Amino acid sequence: MELKSIYRIEGIQPILAVRDITVSRAFYTRILGFTEDEWGNDNFTSIKKDGGAIYLCRGAQGQSGTWLWLGFEGNIYELYDRLLAEGVPILMPPTNYPWALEMHVKDPDGHVIRFGTDPDNNKPFATE
């Protein structure tokens, strides 16, 4: 039997370690626009937006510094301005690469979020 017929992936959701789940909830819901699932508690919860979801876990799982790729449709410059206004640490402003127009931000627990949208083929690409 082929491995692909044994199981089907219905979703992949990273688990992020958080120090203070109240602070992390506020960051992901108020600032980034995620919605928390009703079953969440002060130790473990799930937040979701459109087709993506992330688990937040206080203390027991994961470690600070996880990198996440969040591909999206929209205006990265508007998102950048909003995050700047909210005081979110920006590690890399919107930068045009052949694979994506992306920026890097840091969440309250030190996780790095790489927001990426389609590259701008009318502008030069950055070199690493």
Side-chain angles (χ1 to χ4, degrees):
M1 177 179 285
E2 286 187 55
L3 190 55
K4 71 179 185 177
S5 65
I6 294 174
Y7 72 98
R8 180 178 98 41
I9 294 176
E10 62 180 33
I12 296 174
Q13 294 160 230
I15 301 172
L16 300 181
V18 301
R19 290 181 297 271
D20 184 333
I21 206 159
T22 302
V23 171
S24 296
R25 275 185 181 122
F27 176 79
Y28 284 96
T29 60
R30 189 182 65 76
I31 295 175
L32 297 185
F34 282 70
T35 303
E36 185 176 2
D37 282 329
E38 292 179 12
W39 57 261
N41 61 45
D42 288 339
N43 291 311
F44 194 81
T45 193
S46 176
I47 53 168
K48 60 188 173 191
K49 180 162 177 42
D50 306 317
I54 300 169
Y55 289 121
L56 304 176
C57 180
R58 187 169 63 92
Q61 300 175 26
Q63 59 189 4
S64 181
T66 299
W67 284 59
L68 300 174
W69 168 265
L70 292 181
F72 73 99
E73 293 179 7
N75 186 317
I76 197 167
Y77 298 104
E78 288 178 10
L79 179 59
Y80 172 73
D81 289 342
R82 173 176 167 80
L83 296 180
L84 269 180
E86 291 285 347
V88 174
I90 307 292
L91 302 177
M92 184 181 81
T95 304
N96 198 36
Y97 293 104
W99 59 85
L101 176 58
E102 69 175 73
M103 72 175 162
H104 301 172
V105 306
K106 190 178 280 190
D107 85 352
D109 295 287
H111 303 295
V112 177
I113 304 169
R114 291 176 65 171
F115 285 98
T117 189
D118 290 335
D120 185 342
N121 293 317
N122 297 314
K123 293 185 179 175
F125 295 125
T127 57
E128 315 240 353

